[in-house]
Amino acid sequence: MGKAPAFGFIISSTPSSSLARNQARRSLTRAGYQQYQTRTFSSTPATQLRDLFPVKETEHIRTTKPAWPHHGYTYEEMLSVVPAHREPRDAGDWAAWKIVRFARYCMDKVTGMDQEQQVDKKNPTTAVVASKPLTEAQWLIRFIFLESVAGVPGMVGGMLRHLNSLRGMKRDNGWIETLLEESYNERMHLLTFLKMSEPGWFMKLAIIGAQGFFFNSLFVAYLISPKIVHRFVGYLEEEAVHTYTRCIKEIEDGELPHWTDSRFKIPEIAIQYFRLPEEHQNMRDLILYIRADEAVHRGVNHTLGNLDQKEDPNPFVSQYKDREPPKPALVPAGYERTDVI
């Protein structure tokens, strides 16, 4: 198979000369994505997934179950997710919010988003669709970059709290598992999108650089102030909810025709992980599931940012005397400490 272009999909066995010349351009073109889709749609549904999404097999093992099975959502719960914003209330909140906005600016630059495709800076968490929709290829590049970064904070926080529990020889009260599960969930999102695209060398280098900077920065920041880091992640997830909401809107408006084509098949890894029923095995519903996950992470991290980082238990895995555990997706700004402790 030929070498994929920068930011590119595996689109053909021999890349055209025009694509090779444009390898360093800001992202995949719609033409490139159409070539990928032509290859995708040329096979029958029965062989399509086997050819495009091969499963790595060993002599005795065919599949590995997820460490944290997805808990699932009702369709009503997914549709109830909306973009929202928790207004900063102190200096730490403002610092976290401004860093997230700067990170989004850098992401727009790296993924080649045009000025007319960017969101309104005065309303960064609204679902307003820009006048110039993104292509399917541009969306996947943004998703891959976003999820490659989003899987870092939970691992850093869970690792440091794990080590602290070992040093202090005391319980962690349920934080570690939730943070590691969050990181695992984001990685499953990434693996899903990677089944539909393969980044080129430029994107891979950008991801390596972003991960190195992000991991080490979060490591130091979490040692100094875990509260600010959780607020930062809450704001980061706000942006993710906005991003996926905008994508869903463009799918519903018919701006992304290949994803609504009946011949388009979502990856098998997503069907198995989210346990998608047959009627929901399409791109719109897949994005609904992923957006609901991001809404959960948004509410969890904003809530954790409101708690005593050393003493309070994790309310999302605790058993309450007189009520059900809180549902983070329903409270975008997070629960206040007095509501859950």
Side-chain angles (χ1 to χ4, degrees):
M1 184 165 293
K3 183 179 180 181
F7 298 113
F9 289 77
I10 300 175
I11 54 178
S12 65
S13 59
T14 305
S16 67
S17 59
S18 62
L19 284 176
R21 288 195 301 271
N22 291 327
Q23 189 172 12
R25 296 187 65 179
R26 58 184 171 81
S27 71
L28 279 174
T29 62
R30 184 180 292 274
Y33 187 80
Q34 288 173 340
Q35 285 182 284
Y36 171 79
Q37 289 302 314
T38 300
R39 174 175 175 267
T40 302
F41 294 158
S42 64
S43 58
T44 63
T47 61
Q48 187 173 355
L49 289 177
R50 184 180 68 246
D51 294 340
L52 289 178
F53 312 128
V55 177
K56 183 178 180 180
E57 296 182 0
T58 63
E59 183 178 357
H60 302 292
I61 300 175
R62 295 185 59 85
T63 185
T64 302
K65 294 182 178 179
W68 283 281
H70 196 274
H71 46 76
Y73 308 103
T74 66
Y75 207 63
E76 290 72 23
E77 288 175 334
M78 293 190 295
L79 293 177
S80 66
V81 173
V82 295
H85 177 51
R86 183 186 190 278
E87 291 294 336
R89 301 177 187 177
D90 54 33
D93 288 1
W94 276 106
W97 171 237
K98 293 301 182 182
I99 293 173
V100 167
R101 292 306 300 160
F102 176 72
R104 172 135 197 172
Y105 171 81
C106 294
M107 180 179 175
D108 289 345
K109 289 295 183 183
V110 169
T111 56
M113 179 177 278
D114 294 334
Q115 184 175 0
E116 61 267 29
Q117 294 173 319
Q118 296 175 5
V119 298
D120 182 0
K121 293 182 179 180
K122 295 182 179 179
N123 300 284
T125 58
T126 63
V128 177
V129 179
S131 58
K132 182 180 178 182
L134 299 176
T135 66
E136 292 93 341
Q138 286 177 308
W139 274 120
L140 283 172
I141 293 303
R142 291 183 67 81
F143 293 161
I144 289 172
F145 195 89
L146 172 65
E147 299 296 349
S148 70
V149 171
V152 174
M155 180 60 65
V156 172
M159 175 188 67
L160 288 176
R161 294 191 69 95
H162 170 74
L163 295 176
N164 182 68
S165 178
L166 296 180
R167 291 193 309 272
M169 301 181 185
K170 61 180 181 180
R171 295 184 59 187
D172 182 71
N173 291 323
W175 289 52
I176 295 173
E177 291 80 358
T178 291
L179 294 175
L180 294 181
E181 182 179 7
E182 174 187 309
S183 181
Y184 180 90
N185 176 254
E186 300 285 15
R187 188 173 65 88
M188 293 302 295
H189 296 172
L190 175 64
L191 294 177
T192 294
F193 293 128
L194 286 174
K195 289 296 185 179
M196 292 183 276
S197 71
E198 180 170 326
W201 63 267
F202 183 81
M203 176 58 76
K204 289 179 180 178
L205 288 176
I207 289 174
I208 291 172
Q211 184 182 99
F213 174 80
F214 199 45
F215 178 90
N216 288 286
S217 299
L218 283 174
F219 183 89
V220 175
Y222 207 89
L223 290 174
I224 297 173
S225 177
K227 176 183 177 67
I228 294 179
V229 173
H230 285 300
R231 186 72 67 222
F232 166 82
V233 178
Y235 286 135
L236 188 68
E237 299 296 355
E238 287 181 2
E239 295 290 341
V241 171
H242 171 270
T243 294
Y244 287 118
T245 299
R246 175 175 163 181
C247 180
I248 292 168
K249 182 69 163 55
E250 291 189 6
I251 292 175
E252 294 174 342
D253 289 347
E255 301 289 353
L256 304 172
H258 296 294
W259 283 350
T260 56
D261 193 298
S262 60
R263 294 169 293 176
F264 181 85
K265 303 296 181 182
I266 63 173
E268 184 66 25
I269 189 174
I271 296 174
Q272 293 181 5
Y273 175 63
F274 290 104
R275 291 174 288 181
L276 296 175
E278 186 173 355
E279 63 272 19
H280 295 310
Q281 294 177 13
N282 58 74
M283 194 63 177
R284 175 183 174 273
D285 287 347
L286 173 61
I287 300 299
L288 282 175
Y289 272 87
I290 293 176
R291 184 183 67 168
D293 285 341
E294 307 296 358
V296 169
H297 303 329
R298 175 185 63 183
V300 166
N301 279 279
H302 276 319
T303 301
L304 296 182
N306 294 335
L307 304 182
D308 185 317
Q309 304 295 303
K310 296 183 178 180
E311 301 297 334
D312 287 343
N314 176 2
F316 302 109
V317 296
S318 300
Q319 293 184 351
Y320 286 79
K321 297 179 180 179
D322 53 356
R323 56 191 172 100
E324 295 294 323
K327 297 182 178 181
L330 302 181
V331 185
Y335 290 89
E336 297 300 324
R337 185 174 185 272
T338 53
D339 296 330
V340 292
I341 300 298

